[in-house]
Amino acid sequence: MSWDNSAASIATLLTLDDISKAAQEPPKPGATTPVLALSAQARTKGYDLVCLPLTTDKWKKRWEEMCILPNGTDLDADMAAERRAEAWRAKPGFLLDEVTITQLEEAEGATVLISDWLELDAADDWVRHDAEIALKQELAYASYLNIHSAILPPPRSREYVSSYARTVNACLKNSPYMHLSIRLPIYNPSVLEAHLSPLPGSPRRSPSPVPGTPRLIVPDERGTETASGNLDGTWEMWDVIRSICDYSTRLTLTLDLTPPLPVKSGFLSKWKAEAIRHLFLPSSTFIANTKGYPVLPKGTQSFIRESMTHRPVVILAGANLGLHSLGGELAYSQYLRHLEKTSPAVQAALTSGTVENFAQGYQDYLQAPLQPLMDNLQSVTYQTFEQDPVKYHNYEEAIFQALVDWPHQDKIVLCVAGAGRGPLVARSISAIDRSGRDAVVYAVEKNPNAYVTLQGRKEAEWGPKVTLLFGDMRFIDVPEQADILISELLGSFGDNELSPECLDGAMRFLKSDGISIPSSYTAHLAPLQSSKLYNEARAGKEEKSVETPYVVMFQAVNLLSGDGGGTNGRCGPQIQECWEFEHPRRDAVLNERGLPLTNSHNARSAKLDFSIPHAGVLHGLAGYFEAVLYGNIGLSIHPHRKDRISKDMLSWFPLFFPFKEPLYLPSNSELQVSIWRLTNERQVWYEWHAEAFMNLVAPPPENDIPASPRSATSFANGGSFFASPPRNIPSPLIDANGDAFSFDRRSSLREPVDAGSRLIKIGHTSLHNPGGRSSWIGL
Amino acid sequence: MSWDNSAASIATLLTLDDISKAAQEPPKPGATTPVLALSAQARTKGYDLVCLPLTTDKWKKRWEEMCILPNGTDLDADMAAERRAEAWRAKPGFLLDEVTITQLEEAEGATVLISDWLELDAADDWVRHDAEIALKQELAYASYLNIHSAILPPPRSREYVSSYARTVNACLKNSPYMHLSIRLPIYNPSVLEAHLSPLPGSPRRSPSPVPGTPRLIVPDERGTETASGNLDGTWEMWDVIRSICDYSTRLTLTLDLTPPLPVKSGFLSKWKAEAIRHLFLPSSTFIANTKGYPVLPKGTQSFIRESMTHRPVVILAGANLGLHSLGGELAYSQYLRHLEKTSPAVQAALTSGTVENFAQGYQDYLQAPLQPLMDNLQSVTYQTFEQDPVKYHNYEEAIFQALVDWPHQDKIVLCVAGAGRGPLVARSISAIDRSGRDAVVYAVEKNPNAYVTLQGRKEAEWGPKVTLLFGDMRFIDVPEQADILISELLGSFGDNELSPECLDGAMRFLKSDGISIPSSYTAHLAPLQSSKLYNEARAGKEEKSVETPYVVMFQAVNLLSGDGGGTNGRCGPQIQECWEFEHPRRDAVLNERGLPLTNSHNARSAKLDFSIPHAGVLHGLAGYFEAVLYGNIGLSIHPHRKDRISKDMLSWFPLFFPFKEPLYLPSNSELQVSIWRLTNERQVWYEWHAEAFMNLVAPPPENDIPASPRSATSFANGGSFFASPPRNIPSPLIDANGDAFSFDRRSSLREPVDAGSRLIKIGHTSLHNPGGRSSWIGL
């Protein structure tokens, strides 16, 4: 994706009012209909697109007369209406004056708004049924006019959102080329209202709402305010809709930004991971700056800036109503262009040297991780990674420091294990030169093709200081042991390109007091939401594609975890460390060839507890690594620390561990992630799994169970069952027919209480990649 | 499945003690080893099977010496142990005296217990790693001896149960012919203890536990007692294990009945829906009756009786220890045989005339529902259903009552719509004869093959009173209109064989004051757990098989819903009505041929709230019907009412709507089920979906949001957005840079509270059968 063109498109909303006013004006040359005239006008005003309602009030009137019976006051009239309704249901269609457009030219490039009075989630079965027929009729008509994008009215009630969603799903199947966009307020403003007393200095009344702004979502009739009563409510409805529509790629969001946005609030970030297609923005949401020009509230500003990654269509409504004193209609779109230019994502993409710039076109694109041990890399692959100035700079610094710190005065032996096309050899020589120490370099490489390049560089650049050795570092014989072993075997997750196993082999030719660069590395995880990545992973041809980790430049993703300790302090930070590898290993049991007898010591596992402050959907895990090269010089792609350790390093995108089935996580829940690094004689692979919990905040029961401490010897204590024998197994002397054992008389037992429980399990994923069946790394 | 043979097998547990004692006795002829001698003895005592530990204490000792390092007191010794461990890890294997059996003859038919000191869920990575290698070694050895069934030691900690489960899954893949059974106490007895003061008259100490009874599950180290601290705890661990093992059919439960069971408690019923293979029963769980013979506590008695449907192997442990004064060793198994004989399931199966007897071999077997409208049934199918005495008896009574009640004195016209091979015609004639009324019968049938049978019966039995008419009731012309229209078009879910649509057509020849038998019918649903049915549904060859409703005679199932109103009274009863159809329809709009213009009036939907008192897993929905034939005569397969309305009726098994992905439901949760009956011109189909919620019992926030009542005119009120304009959209006059809009200063907004919410969403299923893609019924 290139950012040369603008990130956002701006559309203007034509209202029924606009159209009827235009109809009263004399026809313009080349614009034979009001809609054509308005479209031409919009183009001259600089709008990229036009958005308009598909139907007129006449259609609404006819539909209501047929489908809403006046409840038995006049039975004959009711029957006549029902007869008309049945005839319509059998063959649904429009009359000419019920639609705003009739010509292909009018429809060209237009996005239509479906009749916003259609109650697809009405409590009444018949209203819902007839609204569905009307919706299908409108979409069929739009299809006829070659329109590919329609915006649906928002759902109104949490109670029947599953019916709304089912209808949308049926329409997606019915209209195979139509993209449907669900209009939804970014949150239900009534929630915020209830929590705010009037702001100081702000009047109680706002400007009249612009036509086309959404209706309020009303609380459910039965008084449950599940969704509509909290700030996550509209997102929760969206989640039901897109889930019922099985994450269709033709289903998107028209996010309505009418309500004011807080400047920074966790509940907004989840929208980043959703399929936002349009942003609906009425002019009444703009406020006036000191000069009187329309500007947006700070929270809305930053939300729009961040949303630029979605390349949205911003639908401006009511820009022609003159709500603001200065700037006129054009001021609104000019202001939006200003936000676009100042969007951090747009700026980063335009700045050379950033990952964002380097990685253009790779955002949210799934790549299989490299397997450099099993496959010999291509020259072009080496070339790509050699472009990273930060990584090799840090390596050179690490080598330089190690040389400077090296206590012995005699010749220092360096060995580059896995030299590739030679970047670390060159950096080693440069570090040696800078340090003034006497040192030689061995360069080990097993890729015969890269070895040709190495020979060329030795001849041309390096000379006798460098000795080339051809072979696999796990098996090759090296003429002398090294003081400093340098390698670049790390993957996005640290150990995922078998650095631990390769260095196990290379340790044979490292002196017992030698050092390894890198000296250690850690793997890190965080739970992640992204409908884009979920869809990308399952779009893979094989069923296994959802069980394979991928290398991904994240963009439309949201980390679900919070940084707190969760409601009971069990949880770690937002991104948590899984495990560490250190080199050299000091306690190894080796065979006569200096190699470990088994790979058991490179097995790892981690169980991590994440707090989930805001409701979301788990689609996968984000994997990162951090490495200590030497001393305080390192490499990191950990989002919170990379800028301190290795800013603008380009070589690694994070790893993405997908989950086959999305796991819903409520606000204030906890996620327990298990991940294993497993190995046998031939392979290494990861398996992963997650469980979700809620904290029950009920007061503890009277008789809390004393947590009997786990006996220190319990492990070796194999034979003894029932550490303390259950007290209530009665003596054989008691009559079985006696009362003592009739539990049903004891009301406290009939409905057992969850004594002492705090965390309540609420869900889990399946185990992914068991036995490495979908993905393993060859030893 | 035939019940001629016994439902349960009884196995005896041979302990290491038993084996070493037998080794000291002189060898018996034909039994060259202690195990062979003990097996022969067990057979003579009447045991069906033998169960024994696979390994001896020598193995435990060697494993511990290798794998448990004494923590650095002697570094050389540690290194030597580690060297031995590495050698073992590279090539795991037994020494002769580390195993109890070495010969194929010893192993024949035996079930082995895996070393119960293996901590597959140890907190320590290395202990877990080496326990896994040991487990694989034991299973490989058992496989070598042609053993097909091994019982694994119970998991001990909720914290690392996912690691336990991952290992079990790896073993299932590793040993493709081995059945693994997880030993689990039916609940954690420490929970019950904590709630019980000593029972009156029962001493504080019980008999010494029998070797082989399970160890106590200890609370998690971090003090969370999620699973181990509640009565559902061991089931929750089982659920993690079998989920991680992807519901492998080679994974079963060895349910340990050591702890005493309450007589009736909801938390026990979920085990019914699990794959119970063995019941572990130590003699110490038996109590003595007044005479001194061993009997079981009432709760355990009834649990075992109910478990007979699983055809379990009951493993008796310690029957030879003489814990009870009378009856000797044989008394225990004799008592178990007594429980078997008095099991309601066994008794029902043996009683002719019951559904259980009629349906033998069909339990939990998935059948595609009939489509008698689209397909012409075979004679043998008619014959099966004609065997139902109850159904036709009730029909005759309904017809008789209708005739008796019929006000007019002249000739009464009966019409059987869908006469099949004639059972309702015969019953009509019988009812006419009994009533003494003057009546004739028209018999309409569209199946040309059955029509031959009808002609034969008219000639042989019925004579001129019956007029046969060949054709589809929706289109055929009938010579005169009927007073009473009789049909048997009902499916397991009432309308699922298109009775509503067929009768719409037949209404053409029913007089305006005529009556229909049946006069109405209702469809009913309940949420259901069953790992068996889940596995059966996904075993279907096509992916679609998990989206098709099936006809099933339920056995290993558990209804998840409770009968209460849930924690906030929203919920209905355990089994809830979805919708109703009534005949004749009085308000129909018809075309000139007397047929409805569309099928819209036969669309239905229901949204049902179920309370879920005990944690479980949703695998599907159970569907039932109930019909009013005439007056108070009906047909019902509703589990709570069928015995009152139509006891021992055989014709209908319930319907099973499967879910593709199991949905975990915590204790005290709520399930909202949506189901739709949808129709177009050619088809009828069902779609279904469910969402799970938890009640947040936190106190309501200070400012509860007033539930603004849904405006009565809101529906027609299409154009008015934002019923009340959001109060906090500021005036354009306010400076955008002013503080008034800096939400981040308002701490109350930074972390928004879920004001007013009570129900918290925790999960959902996908939408099933959208657009009837997997299953529809042809019109």
Side-chain angles (χ1 to χ4, degrees), chain B residues 489-504:
Chain B
L489 305 164
L490 297 176
S492 299
F493 201 49
D495 53 273
N496 65 309
E497 294 181 12
L498 300 191
S499 177
E501 285 76 8
C502 291
L503 291 182
D504 274 348

PDB file of all heavy atoms in Angstrom, chain B residues 489-504:
ATOM      1  N   LEU B 489     -49.027 -35.031  10.176  1.00  0.00           N
ATOM      2  CA  LEU B 489     -47.897 -34.487   9.426  1.00  0.00           C
ATOM      3  C   LEU B 489     -46.810 -33.956  10.344  1.00  0.00           C
ATOM      4  O   LEU B 489     -45.898 -33.260   9.902  1.00  0.00           O
ATOM      5  CB  LEU B 489     -48.396 -33.352   8.520  1.00  0.00           C
ATOM      6  CG  LEU B 489     -49.554 -33.729   7.571  1.00  0.00           C
ATOM      7  CD1 LEU B 489     -50.216 -32.477   7.013  1.00  0.00           C
ATOM      8  CD2 LEU B 489     -49.039 -34.604   6.435  1.00  0.00           C
ATOM      9  N   LEU B 490     -46.903 -34.290  11.626  1.00  0.00           N
ATOM     10  CA  LEU B 490     -45.999 -33.667  12.591  1.00  0.00           C
ATOM     11  C   LEU B 490     -44.644 -34.348  12.632  1.00  0.00           C
ATOM     12  O   LEU B 490     -44.527 -35.566  12.500  1.00  0.00           O
ATOM     13  CB  LEU B 490     -46.616 -33.708  13.987  1.00  0.00           C
ATOM     14  CG  LEU B 490     -47.916 -32.916  14.121  1.00  0.00           C
ATOM     15  CD1 LEU B 490     -48.506 -33.104  15.503  1.00  0.00           C
ATOM     16  CD2 LEU B 490     -47.663 -31.449  13.840  1.00  0.00           C
ATOM     17  N   GLY B 491     -43.614 -33.535  12.841  1.00  0.00           N
ATOM     18  CA  GLY B 491     -42.265 -34.044  13.059  1.00  0.00           C
ATOM     19  C   GLY B 491     -41.880 -33.867  14.510  1.00  0.00           C
ATOM     20  O   GLY B 491     -42.666 -33.379  15.336  1.00  0.00           O
ATOM     21  N   SER B 492     -40.643 -34.229  14.819  1.00  0.00           N
ATOM     22  CA  SER B 492     -40.170 -34.173  16.199  1.00  0.00           C
ATOM     23  C   SER B 492     -40.237 -32.767  16.783  1.00  0.00           C
ATOM     24  O   SER B 492     -40.322 -32.586  17.993  1.00  0.00           O
ATOM     25  CB  SER B 492     -38.716 -34.628  16.267  1.00  0.00           C
ATOM     26  OG  SER B 492     -38.594 -35.943  15.823  1.00  0.00           O
ATOM     27  N   PHE B 493     -40.146 -31.761  15.906  1.00  0.00           N
ATOM     28  CA  PHE B 493     -40.168 -30.378  16.353  1.00  0.00           C
ATOM     29  C   PHE B 493     -41.513 -29.740  15.998  1.00  0.00           C
ATOM     30  O   PHE B 493     -41.649 -28.530  15.938  1.00  0.00           O
ATOM     31  CB  PHE B 493     -39.016 -29.630  15.667  1.00  0.00           C
ATOM     32  CG  PHE B 493     -38.577 -28.374  16.348  1.00  0.00           C
ATOM     33  CD1 PHE B 493     -38.313 -28.346  17.713  1.00  0.00           C
ATOM     34  CD2 PHE B 493     -38.389 -27.201  15.622  1.00  0.00           C
ATOM     35  CE1 PHE B 493     -37.888 -27.182  18.337  1.00  0.00           C
ATOM     36  CE2 PHE B 493     -37.959 -26.040  16.236  1.00  0.00           C
ATOM     37  CZ  PHE B 493     -37.711 -26.034  17.597  1.00  0.00           C
ATOM     38  N   GLY B 494     -42.522 -30.601  15.749  1.00  0.00           N
ATOM     39  CA  GLY B 494     -43.838 -30.098  15.367  1.00  0.00           C
ATOM     40  C   GLY B 494     -43.890 -29.822  13.879  1.00  0.00           C
ATOM     41  O   GLY B 494     -44.210 -30.708  13.074  1.00  0.00           O
ATOM     42  N   ASP B 495     -43.481 -28.596  13.510  1.00  0.00           N
ATOM     43  CA  ASP B 495     -43.663 -28.143  12.133  1.00  0.00           C
ATOM     44  C   ASP B 495     -42.562 -28.574  11.172  1.00  0.00           C
ATOM     45  O   ASP B 495     -42.591 -28.176  10.001  1.00  0.00           O
ATOM     46  CB  ASP B 495     -43.732 -26.614  12.128  1.00  0.00           C
ATOM     47  CG  ASP B 495     -42.530 -26.003  12.849  1.00  0.00           C
ATOM     48  OD1 ASP B 495     -42.586 -25.844  14.081  1.00  0.00           O
ATOM     49  OD2 ASP B 495     -41.519 -25.710  12.180  1.00  0.00           O
ATOM     50  N   ASN B 496     -41.604 -29.376  11.619  1.00  0.00           N
ATOM     51  CA  ASN B 496     -40.420 -29.620  10.789  1.00  0.00           C
ATOM     52  C   ASN B 496     -40.620 -30.619   9.653  1.00  0.00           C
ATOM     53  O   ASN B 496     -39.677 -30.910   8.930  1.00  0.00           O
ATOM     54  CB  ASN B 496     -39.227 -30.049  11.656  1.00  0.00           C
ATOM     55  CG  ASN B 496     -39.454 -31.373  12.345  1.00  0.00           C
ATOM     56  OD1 ASN B 496     -40.486 -31.551  13.000  1.00  0.00           O
ATOM     57  ND2 ASN B 496     -38.552 -32.319  12.189  1.00  0.00           N
ATOM     58  N   GLU B 497     -41.827 -31.141   9.478  1.00  0.00           N
ATOM     59  CA  GLU B 497     -42.095 -31.899   8.250  1.00  0.00           C
ATOM     60  C   GLU B 497     -43.119 -31.165   7.381  1.00  0.00           C
ATOM     61  O   GLU B 497     -43.789 -31.767   6.554  1.00  0.00           O
ATOM     62  CB  GLU B 497     -42.522 -33.335   8.597  1.00  0.00           C
ATOM     63  CG  GLU B 497     -41.373 -34.118   9.244  1.00  0.00           C
ATOM     64  CD  GLU B 497     -41.733 -35.563   9.594  1.00  0.00           C
ATOM     65  OE1 GLU B 497     -42.789 -36.044   9.147  1.00  0.00           O
ATOM     66  OE2 GLU B 497     -40.951 -36.200  10.321  1.00  0.00           O
ATOM     67  N   LEU B 498     -43.236 -29.850   7.635  1.00  0.00           N
ATOM     68  CA  LEU B 498     -44.058 -28.946   6.825  1.00  0.00           C
ATOM     69  C   LEU B 498     -45.554 -29.137   7.012  1.00  0.00           C
ATOM     70  O   LEU B 498     -46.342 -28.844   6.105  1.00  0.00           O
ATOM     71  CB  LEU B 498     -43.699 -29.050   5.339  1.00  0.00           C
ATOM     72  CG  LEU B 498     -42.261 -28.702   4.994  1.00  0.00           C
ATOM     73  CD1 LEU B 498     -42.094 -28.577   3.491  1.00  0.00           C
ATOM     74  CD2 LEU B 498     -41.831 -27.412   5.666  1.00  0.00           C
ATOM     75  N   SER B 499     -45.962 -29.581   8.181  1.00  0.00           N
ATOM     76  CA  SER B 499     -47.388 -29.642   8.471  1.00  0.00           C
ATOM     77  C   SER B 499     -48.080 -28.294   8.232  1.00  0.00           C
ATOM     78  O   SER B 499     -49.143 -28.250   7.605  1.00  0.00           O
ATOM     79  CB  SER B 499     -47.605 -30.107   9.922  1.00  0.00           C
ATOM     80  OG  SER B 499     -48.968 -30.110  10.235  1.00  0.00           O
ATOM     81  N   PRO B 500     -47.504 -27.155   8.673  1.00  0.00           N
ATOM     82  CA  PRO B 500     -48.207 -25.884   8.450  1.00  0.00           C
ATOM     83  C   PRO B 500     -48.465 -25.616   6.975  1.00  0.00           C
ATOM     84  O   PRO B 500     -49.571 -25.215   6.584  1.00  0.00           O
ATOM     85  CB  PRO B 500     -47.257 -24.835   9.048  1.00  0.00           C
ATOM     86  CG  PRO B 500     -46.432 -25.583  10.039  1.00  0.00           C
ATOM     87  CD  PRO B 500     -46.276 -26.965   9.471  1.00  0.00           C
ATOM     88  N   GLU B 501     -47.468 -25.865   6.141  1.00  0.00           N
ATOM     89  CA  GLU B 501     -47.610 -25.569   4.723  1.00  0.00           C
ATOM     90  C   GLU B 501     -48.596 -26.529   4.050  1.00  0.00           C
ATOM     91  O   GLU B 501     -49.396 -26.118   3.205  1.00  0.00           O
ATOM     92  CB  GLU B 501     -46.237 -25.645   4.035  1.00  0.00           C
ATOM     93  CG  GLU B 501     -45.321 -24.455   4.309  1.00  0.00           C
ATOM     94  CD  GLU B 501     -44.660 -24.451   5.682  1.00  0.00           C
ATOM     95  OE1 GLU B 501     -44.776 -25.455   6.410  1.00  0.00           O
ATOM     96  OE2 GLU B 501     -44.030 -23.436   6.044  1.00  0.00           O
ATOM     97  N   CYS B 502     -48.541 -27.801   4.423  1.00  0.00           N
ATOM     98  CA  CYS B 502     -49.467 -28.762   3.816  1.00  0.00           C
ATOM     99  C   CYS B 502     -50.907 -28.447   4.216  1.00  0.00           C
ATOM    100  O   CYS B 502     -51.816 -28.485   3.388  1.00  0.00           O
ATOM    101  CB  CYS B 502     -49.101 -30.179   4.252  1.00  0.00           C
ATOM    102  SG  CYS B 502     -47.545 -30.745   3.565  1.00  0.00           S
ATOM    103  N   LEU B 503     -51.097 -28.150   5.492  1.00  0.00           N
ATOM    104  CA  LEU B 503     -52.458 -27.871   5.937  1.00  0.00           C
ATOM    105  C   LEU B 503     -52.988 -26.555   5.370  1.00  0.00           C
ATOM    106  O   LEU B 503     -54.194 -26.416   5.158  1.00  0.00           O
ATOM    107  CB  LEU B 503     -52.536 -27.884   7.468  1.00  0.00           C
ATOM    108  CG  LEU B 503     -52.358 -29.282   8.090  1.00  0.00           C
ATOM    109  CD1 LEU B 503     -52.500 -29.222   9.600  1.00  0.00           C
ATOM    110  CD2 LEU B 503     -53.351 -30.286   7.504  1.00  0.00           C
ATOM    111  N   ASP B 504     -52.090 -25.573   5.092  1.00  0.00           N
ATOM    112  CA  ASP B 504     -52.524 -24.373   4.376  1.00  0.00           C
ATOM    113  C   ASP B 504     -53.239 -24.767   3.093  1.00  0.00           C
ATOM    114  O   ASP B 504     -54.258 -24.182   2.729  1.00  0.00           O
ATOM    115  CB  ASP B 504     -51.309 -23.504   4.001  1.00  0.00           C
ATOM    116  CG  ASP B 504     -50.905 -22.558   5.106  1.00  0.00           C
ATOM    117  OD1 ASP B 504     -51.674 -22.392   6.072  1.00  0.00           O
ATOM    118  OD2 ASP B 504     -49.805 -21.986   5.004  1.00  0.00           O
TER     119      ASP B 504
END
